[in-house]
Amino acid sequence: MPESDEQLIDRWRERGETSALAELAERYLSQFYGTARAMMLSDSQAEDVAQETMLKVVRWIDSFDTRATFRTWSYTILVNTIRSDLRRQKTRSQHFDAAADVTRVAATNQSHETLLTQQETRNEIEHALTHLTDKQRTALVLMVTEGLSAADVAEIENCSVDAVYQRVSEARKSLRNAPALRQLWQDHR
């Protein structure tokens, strides 16, 4: 049975085992990337933010209070890092990371038509997400994409559970008319 996040942190704190930090990074870096990608809508920015978040987590791990879960604590750092990055940019224009997508296309055996359809769907979803407020997008991404509970999202966002449910509800209402999302929701029923 793999060690819990908290056990890994204890190994780091008590014995200075860098392998414990490496294990945490291995567990969370791709999750951080996925969340950042969904919130920032840019592959390159998401990669930068995920790495920056992991560096902050490692730098501040000694301040982690074990009364909280590591996942909630680290996602709080992630969301704050994303918001700081978005504020620095002062623009919400979508940038298509062509290099990453070309690499993904080359690595797949899917037909050109299938790839184009997937890219069109992705673009429609990204466009729809740009119309959400930061708080709506954060709540939606953390609950739906990352599978966090409303209580965890409330802790990360420093708000009530009811506020989280309200944000997700408002986000879904806003997205209801997006054709690509409507199809996705029908497929998941």
Side-chain angles (χ1 to χ4, degrees):
M1 176 179 244
E3 290 179 281
S4 71
D5 296 339
E6 288 72 21
Q7 289 171 320
L8 290 170
I9 293 167
D10 287 343
R11 272 186 34 214
W12 164 251
R13 285 179 173 170
E14 294 169 8
R15 299 186 292 269
E17 293 182 24
T18 56
S19 62
L21 294 179
E23 173 89 18
L24 286 171
E26 187 175 317
R27 285 183 189 177
Y28 284 93
L29 190 58
S30 64
Q31 293 177 31
F32 290 167
Y33 170 80
T35 301
R37 176 68 182 87
M39 291 176 65
M40 301 183 80
L41 310 176
S42 166
D43 290 334
S44 61
Q45 291 171 326
E47 190 173 320
D48 291 345
V49 165
Q51 291 174 1
E52 182 180 347
T53 299
M54 188 52 65
L55 289 172
K56 288 177 179 179
V57 164
V58 169
R59 187 178 317 130
W60 299 334
I61 200 151
D62 288 331
S63 68
F64 169 66
D65 183 350
T66 55
R67 289 179 291 184
T69 67
F70 176 78
R71 185 174 187 190
T72 304
W73 178 77
S74 63
Y75 270 79
T76 301
I77 295 170
L78 173 64
V79 169
N80 288 336
T81 303
I82 290 168
R83 287 187 174 143
S84 292
D85 194 67
L86 289 172
R87 274 193 302 272
R88 276 193 302 269
Q89 294 171 19
K90 294 185 182 175
T91 180
R92 295 204 174 222
S93 63
Q94 272 30 101
H95 294 131
F96 181 77
D97 189 350
D101 283 338
V102 166
T103 303
R104 272 197 303 276
V105 168
T108 67
N109 291 327
Q110 298 174 342
S111 73
H112 181 67
E113 184 176 305
T114 301
L115 293 171
L116 283 176
T117 302
Q118 289 174 346
Q119 186 58 46
E120 288 170 5
T121 301
R122 178 179 166 189
N123 289 343
E124 285 180 42
I125 292 169
E126 289 178 358
H127 178 73
L129 288 172
T130 62
H131 296 336
L132 299 178
T133 67
D134 284 338
K135 291 180 180 185
Q136 289 170 343
R137 185 173 31 256
T138 300
L140 187 71
V141 167
L142 292 178
M143 284 187 69
V144 175
T145 305
E146 296 303 318
L148 292 170
S149 70
D152 287 343
V153 175
E155 186 176 335
I156 291 167
E157 288 288 280
N158 197 26
C159 66
S160 70
V161 171
D162 288 340
V164 170
Y165 284 125
Q166 181 65 32
R167 291 172 186 176
V168 170
S169 175
E170 290 170 357
R172 286 186 171 162
K173 284 178 192 172
S174 294
L175 297 173
R176 198 165 279 140
N177 294 323
L181 291 172
R182 190 170 40 244
Q183 181 62 43
L184 280 176
W185 284 328
Q186 289 173 354
D187 292 346
H188 289 296
R189 286 185 183 171

